[in-house]
Amino acid sequence: HLESVVVGSSGALSRCAMAAAAAAAAAAGIIEQRMAQLGLRIPRAAAPVASYVPWRKTGNLVYISGQLPKGEDDVLICGRLGDNMSTDEGREAARLCALQLMSQMREACGGDLDKVRAILKVEAFVNSTQDFTEHPQVVNGCSDLLCSVFGSRMGAHSRYAVGCISLPLGAAVEVGAVIQVADDDE
């Protein structure tokens, strides 16, 4: 389904534009198509902020380092849940972390998210006050988006959601993951 098309001065869609749009749609994998249907765009993969790698692959497992909540404008979402952020704002920050995770997944899979076989584990830290207790609801922002994009069979995962007194750069949430990818010969 193409949402935008190029129309010539006569109002007719040019054959060249139609062919290019069809080729682009065919080239996009199933996961990328699902993301487009959901109105999502994967951001550019974030560079590490310290001495580590963003992901590490061994066999068909990929360990993804903690990702911070950055939007398309590259602005980091900072704050502390239970202090200056609501649970809904924290959930949105966790959703942005999920997009950052998918960006690293795409890098680890050579640009093809269809090589992801399963999201195995999500590891989440929530910058929160001592009395804040809605960590699971915050991290649902990440978990729900992963399930929406990858489907319940591949997207359902184990996880933990831990509260902590601070996170790097003052981020509201940080999320890492372990995923299973296709064998190299698939």
Side-chain angles (χ1 to χ4, degrees):
H1 174 255
L2 301 174
E3 294 184 15
S4 61
V5 293
V6 177
V7 178
S9 59
S10 67
L13 184 64
S14 75
R15 286 193 177 137
C16 183
M18 276 181 33
I30 294 167
I31 299 300
E32 299 265 355
Q33 288 177 15
R34 186 172 300 133
M35 291 186 73
Q37 290 169 348
L38 294 170
L40 301 171
R41 288 185 4 173
I42 297 178
R44 175 178 38 88
V49 298
S51 298
Y52 61 90
V53 294
W55 54 270
R56 180 78 182 215
K57 183 178 177 188
T58 181
N60 65 348
L61 296 180
V62 177
Y63 296 82
I64 302 171
S65 298
Q67 299 297 302
L68 301 178
K70 287 187 176 183
E72 286 185 32
D73 55 4
D74 209 34
V75 172
L76 179 65
I77 306 301
C78 296
R80 176 167 291 134
L81 281 290
D83 180 18
N84 59 4
M85 282 192 93
S86 69
T87 299
D88 286 341
E89 291 169 321
R91 187 178 301 115
E92 180 58 27
R95 189 174 182 278
L96 292 173
C97 289
L99 289 170
Q100 294 292 334
L101 284 171
M102 287 184 267
S103 180
Q104 297 297 348
M105 288 177 204
R106 184 171 60 186
E107 292 289 319
C109 292
D112 184 2
L113 282 172
D114 287 348
K115 290 184 179 179
V116 174
R117 294 293 175 254
I119 310 298
L120 300 174
K121 185 175 188 180
V122 166
E123 304 160 330
F125 297 94
V126 178
N127 186 349
S128 61
T129 61
Q130 185 175 348
D131 58 345
F132 183 78
T133 60
E134 295 181 351
H135 308 88
Q137 291 83 357
V138 168
V139 180
N140 280 349
C142 176
S143 294
D144 293 347
L145 184 57
L146 292 173
C147 285
S148 292
V149 169
F150 290 96
S152 60
R153 187 180 64 79
M154 291 187 331
H157 51 269
S158 67
R159 79 170 196 201
Y160 59 76
V162 178
C164 54
I165 197 67
S166 72
L167 285 172
L169 308 174
V173 183
E174 180 176 2
V175 183
V178 180
I179 65 169
Q180 179 185 13
V181 297
D183 292 328
D184 289 333
D185 57 353
E186 282 187 57

